Amino acid sequence: MRLAPWVLVGIWLVGQSIWAFPKEIADDWMGWRQADTQTIARNFLEPGANILYPRINWGGDGPGYVETEFQLYTWLTAGVMRVVGLSERPGLFLSLLAMAGAGLVLHRLLTARFGAAPALFGLAVFLGLRGPVFLSSTVQPDALCFLFYCLSIEALIAWIERPAAGALVLMVVATILAALVKATALHVGIFQFLAVLLVAPKLLRRAGLWLAWAGILAVVGLYMVHAHRLFVDYDNTFGIIAGGDSKFATLGTLLDARNYPSLVRLSIVWGFGALGAAAAVFLAVTRRLDRVAIALGIANLVYLLVAFRYTRSEWNGPHYHLFTAVLGTWLAAAAFSHLKDRMPWKQRAHVWVPVACGVLCATLYGAQLARRHAPSLVLWEKNPAVAMGKALRALAAPGSLVAVRSSADARDQAFGTVNNFEDPRVFYLANVRGWVLPADEARLDIIRLAADRGAAFYVDPYRKRGDAELDGWLADHADIAVDRGELGRIFRLRRPGAPGATPLTQPGG
């Protein structure tokens, strides 16, 4: 029992690093987010880089400072790349190690609560959930955030059971780091309040607890104000506070029943899992849901509804459900704890439990691994943005200015909000900078501005919509450098005053 969790996590680490890592992150699931993340890490390698001033490449000809969460993940990734060289592997391994660490933290927490056998069962379930499998094999900050999230929960429960200053300090530090890395982790504060209220309400009278919560909000709030200032000054944002890509629900979308089937399905498939759902039903029917599970459930429900625009979307927000993996793991361990003593072979539990957990983990993990590289999720080499990015890389010098048409529209019509349409993949793959245009707006004014500012190319990966004015301007001011049919075109912009040239067409790439 003591060795089994380490063996299980060790085998999982090896399996993930061999089978789950993508060939290229831009072609991968969530390639858009991964490309942005790796770009920020790569830009931290530049002289004078500052962790408080992260930079993207789609900010026109400006410095590219962007409103985003605290870039601890990309800063650490850049630190490794300074030693090993420019590569996508450091970020992948950082995600993998962070998720493995989170699993061990959860195992330690479950052991203290339910005992060794249920904790091992919970760990086996956790390692076979889709969220941990996918997000530990991508260049994204979610796994690092999740590690701090798990530490904050463990510290809070330890403080409830024995109110010592050390546990409270650990809770504060872990919660701050989790919320700085991903602002969505702030909902752990709802869990913390509810857990104290339901388990030990007298502790709410302690001033230290309220000071701890105030300190968390103050630190995270100060950083968000700084990040928002970057948006005000440089007009680039991931939508952390305002300015674009709000994740929040609207009253109309909350009242639309058609949105909820996808939320429920994503919560099960990407969050607490089928075994977690079955365990929840069993514990509810037998009236054995403990108060920690209830607090986790309420906190997660509030969070999923607040961030409804993303949590209901298979395309935008499956990773938002990672936090509910804690709930699913907790429920699975709790159900196993109630059932294990009824099993006829309980006398040899030290033998059969590790074997059964290993088989269970292998089965669940194998199913998720098959899904990890499913054609419907992994785009590989047929994505127009990826194809155009690689084609542009052969044409443009690193750091060149370009204009790129995105695959996403300027606004989300269902939620009535500005959309984060800035697709970074062409910029990342070609290592260029410049302007990005939404799919549904020609924005000839921006293309003209880009040309005046020295942009060398206009890239149209998707060719979704025609525009007569834009087509006419391109005919007079640009030459086709690459034409790959449905995968897109690259136009070489003529310098002002330069004579026209004969277009070079490459139908087959």
Side-chain angles (χ1 to χ4, degrees):
M1 285 295 188
R2 292 177 181 176
L3 190 60
W6 294 96
V7 172
L8 199 61
V9 170
I11 294 174
W12 183 84
L13 280 168
V14 173
Q16 281 288 89
S17 62
I18 294 175
W19 297 312
F21 280 2
K23 296 178 182 177
E24 294 181 277
I25 62 173
D27 283 338
D28 191 32
W29 172 78
M30 288 287 166
W32 178 312
R33 294 184 78 234
Q34 294 193 66
D36 253 337
T37 306
Q38 182 69 7
T39 297
I40 293 173
R42 186 168 63 188
N43 287 337
F44 277 142
L45 296 175
E46 297 293 328
N50 188 327
I51 192 172
L52 295 178
Y53 289 84
R55 294 169 47 227
I56 41 77
N57 281 11
W58 39 262
D61 57 353
Y65 297 133
V66 62
E67 177 194 35
T68 185
E69 288 121 332
F70 184 62
Q71 292 298 306
L72 177 62
Y73 174 84
T74 49
W75 186 260
L76 294 173
T77 300
V80 177
M81 289 195 294
R82 286 190 184 95
V83 177
V84 303
L86 189 63
S87 171
E88 296 173 348
R89 291 283 160 167
L92 290 169
F93 277 106
L94 179 56
S95 293
L96 182 60
L97 293 174
M99 193 66 75
L104 292 172
V105 170
L106 286 176
H107 176 266
R108 187 171 61 201
L109 174 60
L110 296 174
T111 300
R113 182 76 176 194
F114 301 111
L120 186 62
F121 180 79
L123 178 62
V125 170
F126 172 78
L127 296 176
L129 291 174
R130 183 170 298 182
V133 171
F134 275 61
L135 287 163
S136 65
S137 56
T138 57
V139 179
Q140 298 183 95
D142 302 75
L144 184 62
C145 167
F146 188 68
L147 171 59
F148 295 131
Y149 180 85
C150 294
L151 284 169
S152 73
I153 291 175
E154 181 189 39
L156 185 277
I157 292 176
W159 183 81
I160 290 175
E161 294 176 349
R162 186 172 176 270
L168 191 61
V169 170
L170 178 58
M171 184 204 78
V172 170
V173 173
T175 303
I176 287 173
L177 288 173
L180 285 176
V181 175
K182 292 292 297 179
T184 47
L186 269 177
H187 76 270
V188 76
I190 301 174
F191 160 75
Q192 291 168 359
F193 174 78
L194 290 175
V196 177
L197 178 66
L198 295 176
V199 177
K202 290 183 179 180
L203 293 177
L204 289 174
R205 300 174 185 172
R206 298 206 172 195
L209 179 61
W210 292 96
L211 287 173
W213 284 332
I216 292 168
L217 293 176
V219 173
V220 177
L222 284 172
Y223 178 79
M224 287 186 174
V225 169
H226 162 74
H228 184 60
R229 190 70 220 174
L230 295 180
F231 165 67
V232 173
D233 291 343
Y234 300 100
D235 201 30
N236 305 312
T237 180
F238 288 160
I240 304 307
I241 295 181
D245 200 45
S246 169
K247 282 73 176 173
F248 297 122
T250 63
L251 181 60
T253 54
L254 285 174
L255 295 177
D256 189 343
R258 293 172 297 179
N259 287 324
Y260 287 94
S262 63
L263 178 70
V264 173
R265 184 183 65 82
L266 289 173
S267 295
I268 295 174
V269 173
W270 287 94
F272 50 85
L275 283 177
V281 172
F282 166 75
L283 293 170
V285 169
T286 58
R287 298 183 179 180
R288 287 172 173 167
L289 273 175
D290 63 86
R291 296 181 182 184
V292 171
I294 292 171
L296 277 170
I298 295 173
N300 278 282
L301 178 61
V302 171
Y303 154 67
L304 293 175
L305 292 177
V306 168
F308 198 36
R309 179 174 168 240
Y310 269 39
T311 57
R312 57 171 276 282
S313 171
E314 177 88 46
W315 178 254
N316 288 330
H319 56 288
Y320 275 53
H321 293 267
L322 174 64
F323 295 116
T324 59
V326 177
L327 176 61
T329 302
W330 183 280
L331 293 171
F336 186 90
S337 177
H338 289 298
L339 291 173
K340 68 180 179 64
D341 291 334
R342 300 181 181 182
M343 298 175 183
W345 49 85
K346 63 181 181 180
Q347 299 299 330
R348 298 187 58 81
H350 65 286
V351 175
W352 71 263
V353 167
V355 173
C357 288
V359 172
L360 173 67
C361 185
T363 302
L364 296 175
Y365 175 72
Q368 299 303 343
L369 191 63
R371 183 66 176 168
R372 178 69 181 87
H373 298 301
S376 59
L377 287 180
V378 180
L379 303 172
W380 297 125
E381 312 216 349
K382 299 200 176 175
N383 182 277
V386 173
M388 290 297 97
K390 292 179 178 179
L392 183 63
R393 184 167 58 198
L395 298 173
S400 299
L401 292 174
V402 301
V404 179
R405 192 81 172 264
S406 177
S407 61
D409 292 348
R411 296 187 66 85
D412 184 326
Q413 299 301 325
F415 281 75
T417 186
V418 175
N419 198 26
N420 181 204
F421 63 83
E422 294 90 354
D423 189 339
R425 288 171 292 181
V426 170
F427 298 94
Y428 167 68
L429 288 167
N431 193 18
V432 295
R433 302 182 301 118
W435 296 260
V436 60
L437 318 171
D440 59 339
E441 297 178 3
R443 297 307 307 268
L444 181 55
D445 58 327
I446 299 297
I447 298 176
R448 284 173 170 166
L449 173 66
D452 291 342
R453 297 272 182 96
F457 296 94
Y458 166 63
V459 185
D460 180 13
Y462 291 89
R463 303 180 68 171
K464 284 187 174 182
R465 298 170 175 85
D467 183 274
E469 185 180 8
L470 173 60
D471 291 342
W473 187 90
L474 288 172
D476 293 337
H477 297 85
D479 306 308
I480 297 178
V482 174
D483 187 342
R484 295 190 179 173
E486 293 182 356
L487 290 180
R489 296 178 296 178
I490 298 176
F491 294 84
R492 189 187 303 274
L493 299 177
R494 300 179 199 145
R495 294 183 181 277
T502 304
L504 173 62
T505 304
Q506 299 177 333

